[in-house]
Amino acid sequence: MMIRSRNFASDSRLSILALLAVILLLNQLINQTDGKFIRERQSSSSSSSTSTSRIIQEEEAGDIAPEDGENDLDKDLEELDAMKDLVEELVGEDIGYYGDSPPEEVKEGNFKNGVGPKPIMHTFYQRIDPEHHHTGTTFNQGTGMSSDEAHLALVQAWQESWEAAGFETRILNIDDVMKHDRYDEIRAFLDNEAFGEYDELCFLRWYAMSAVGGGWMSDYDVVPLKSLVPNDYFTAPEELSEGDMDGNNGIPLPNNGYFTVYSWQVPSLMSGSANEWERLAQALMDLTHQHLDDFYSDMYALMDYDKTIPDAYIKEDQVLSRLSDFILENGDIDCEKVWKMNDEHLWAVHFSHWNVHDAVEHGILDSSTTPDDRPNVAREFILNWEEECSNNFSDEE
């Protein structure tokens, strides 16, 4: 337990011995409660949003009776709060909290530096039956993964990486799409036209984001480079009302919430307000009516929308999408190239099945590497980035 160092006035009413006694008692109570001053906050996710741990275990949590000693823990916490108030009164200063998470009343600051609310990164995962076949004009492109286990391993790697970078994560599924007031109409159109299940889900995820209030979304094969994520994406206003905690936990979205695609025209990392997600979802759906005789996807629709209305959304190049462009002949990451891109600020990597295939062809990855290996490839790249680049380069260099 770390106690913040302080300066006390010479005429303090509290003697040194008394202060030491209080601190010793405070530490004893802290040890009894594992150092947690704050009870865990209730998750703000909707009941339909599925955590990775539940997905991996493939079971839902049931009603659990209180464990022995739970009442004692509550009593200890109450005594701990009382002692904290006493110490603050004696020393005339707020001693703060030193638990596993910031207190709930903290509403300002930058969580990348450990204080304040977290931005929320969403992804969309819905199991596709591997036996599912579709005879329409499109086909199930899928993600290139061969099994449910491989999918879930990638989802877990996604969650770990974004949370390590300072984000809260939420995994959406078809239940979230069903919250949209036009779900039946939208699903009926997609089911009756030339779309495979995978392509349907790619369109439906846009409506899921509209239904849950907008914000950030990435494919679950996109991971961040922690040291390069812009600080502005974490900064909340100094004062927030309760309603501000909706959406992105009160943290303003880039470009005032105007829809932004961070990998140019590939919808792998995006942000926007709920209204913007709805606007884009409807625009892409309208375009599908013109392309029922050939293969069409949400990515193609996004490209066509940009051709129709050039300023329909903001396009950024902030996602590294081709490993072969940034790996040196000796296998090391070209750190300086990533840091010193002239027109882009790269801060995330898209480990698409195409990217893995391309890296194999260029000899960057072993020839036996398959899309199922993407969780390990992503983790290894992040580890190498931290070891080779993160501590050796800075924006000021």
Side-chain angles (χ1 to χ4, degrees):
M1 175 67 185
M2 180 181 296
I3 299 293
R4 189 183 303 165
S5 61
R6 304 178 182 282
N7 294 321
F8 299 99
S10 58
D11 59 347
S12 173
R13 294 175 296 160
L14 183 64
S15 69
I16 294 176
L17 291 177
L19 178 60
L20 288 174
V22 171
I23 292 176
L24 287 173
L25 180 57
L26 190 61
N27 276 321
Q28 181 180 0
L29 287 172
I30 290 169
N31 291 333
Q32 292 174 359
T33 58
D34 295 328
K36 294 181 180 179
F37 284 17
I38 309 297
R39 296 178 179 84
E40 291 184 356
R41 298 164 61 181
Q42 295 292 327
S43 172
S44 59
S45 302
S46 65
S47 60
S48 60
S49 297
T50 310
S51 68
T52 297
S53 60
R54 274 175 39 200
I55 295 177
I56 299 298
Q57 297 171 2
E58 297 185 345
E59 64 182 18
E60 294 185 358
D63 293 330
I64 301 175
E67 297 180 357
D68 293 340
E70 183 174 314
N71 292 335
D72 292 338
L73 176 61
D74 288 341
K75 183 178 179 181
D76 286 340
L77 286 169
E78 291 176 0
E79 293 177 357
L80 187 60
D81 286 337
M83 287 303 305
K84 173 180 175 294
D85 292 340
L86 175 60
V87 172
E88 288 179 344
E89 180 179 355
L90 291 172
V91 302
E93 183 178 356
D94 183 1
I95 66 173
Y97 287 87
Y98 299 89
D100 288 345
S101 60
E104 188 168 356
E105 64 266 21
V106 172
K107 304 291 188 182
E108 61 182 73
N110 183 320
F111 200 88
K112 191 177 183 183
N113 297 321
V115 179
K118 301 180 183 180
I120 304 170
M121 183 59 68
H122 302 79
T123 196
F124 187 91
Y125 171 76
Q126 180 68 38
R127 181 181 184 273
I128 298 178
D129 188 343
E131 301 299 322
H132 176 86
H133 295 282
H134 188 77
T135 57
T137 57
T138 71
F139 56 93
N140 287 318
Q141 286 214 122
T143 61
M145 309 293 270
S146 65
S147 67
D148 290 341
E149 290 76 17
H151 273 291
L152 297 174
L154 188 56
V155 172
Q156 186 175 29
W158 172 88
Q159 184 174 42
E160 291 171 357
S161 65
W162 284 102
E163 291 183 353
F167 286 77
E168 178 182 336
T169 58
R170 294 182 186 172
I171 302 168
L172 308 180
N173 58 28
I174 196 64
D175 291 338
D176 296 289
V177 188
M178 294 175 70
K179 297 174 184 176
H180 196 281
D181 56 9
R182 294 178 53 233
Y183 170 75
D184 292 337
E185 170 193 344
I186 297 163
R187 192 63 190 259
F189 166 73
L190 291 172
D191 283 345
N192 289 317
E193 296 299 339
F195 297 97
E197 186 175 1
Y198 172 78
D199 302 312
E200 286 188 23
L201 293 172
C202 285
F203 281 107
L204 289 172
R205 63 179 178 152
W206 297 73
Y207 290 98
M209 284 299 296
S210 171
V212 300
W216 288 94
M217 168 175 267
S218 82
D219 288 346
Y220 54 85
D221 54 4
V222 173
V223 299
L225 299 174
K226 179 179 179 180
S227 59
L228 295 185
V229 181
N231 284 326
D232 290 348
Y233 296 168
F234 295 86
T235 304
E238 292 185 0
E239 296 184 3
L240 297 177
S241 65
E242 183 176 350
D244 289 330
M245 297 305 287
D246 298 333
N248 195 42
N249 277 343
I251 300 174
L253 293 166
N255 303 313
N256 295 316
Y258 194 75
F259 201 86
T260 304
V261 179
Y262 297 86
S263 47
W264 201 243
Q265 293 178 321
V266 178
S268 62
L269 179 60
M270 303 168 281
S271 70
S273 66
N275 289 338
E276 284 292 279
W277 277 99
E278 180 69 19
R279 177 176 69 86
L280 267 291
Q282 189 54 50
L284 303 191
M285 187 60 63
D286 290 342
L287 285 165
T288 64
H289 291 268
Q290 306 171 25
H291 297 271
L292 300 179
D293 297 327
D294 54 3
F295 171 68
Y296 206 59
S297 68
D298 66 331
M299 182 177 73
Y300 286 177
L302 189 65
M303 293 178 178
D304 287 342
Y305 191 38
D306 181 55
K307 295 175 184 176
T308 304
I309 307 176
D311 296 324
Y313 58 91
I314 296 173
K315 299 183 293 294
E316 303 281 1
D317 261 337
Q318 299 187 3
V319 178
L320 192 161
S321 59
R322 190 177 188 183
L323 292 176
S324 59
D325 288 340
F326 296 91
I327 304 295
L328 301 171
E329 291 184 1
N330 63 359
D332 292 342
I333 300 172
D334 190 344
C335 307
E336 188 169 6
K337 186 175 182 180
V338 176
W339 278 100
K340 300 295 185 180
M341 294 297 291
N342 292 329
D343 301 320
E344 302 121 3
H345 176 87
L346 299 175
W347 58 274
V349 185
H350 188 190
F351 290 94
S352 65
H353 54 283
W354 175 87
N355 191 7
V356 169
H357 177 74
D358 178 76
V360 169
E361 284 193 336
H362 283 81
I364 294 170
L365 296 176
D366 186 81
S367 59
S368 63
T369 305
T370 72
D372 284 358
D373 296 314
R374 284 185 287 170
N376 292 331
V377 172
R379 288 189 177 101
E380 183 176 354
F381 184 91
I382 291 175
L383 180 62
N384 290 343
W385 168 264
E386 292 175 351
E387 293 178 348
E388 299 172 16
C389 306
S390 183
N391 297 325
N392 299 321
F393 288 82
S394 66
D395 287 326
E396 287 76 24
E397 289 187 356

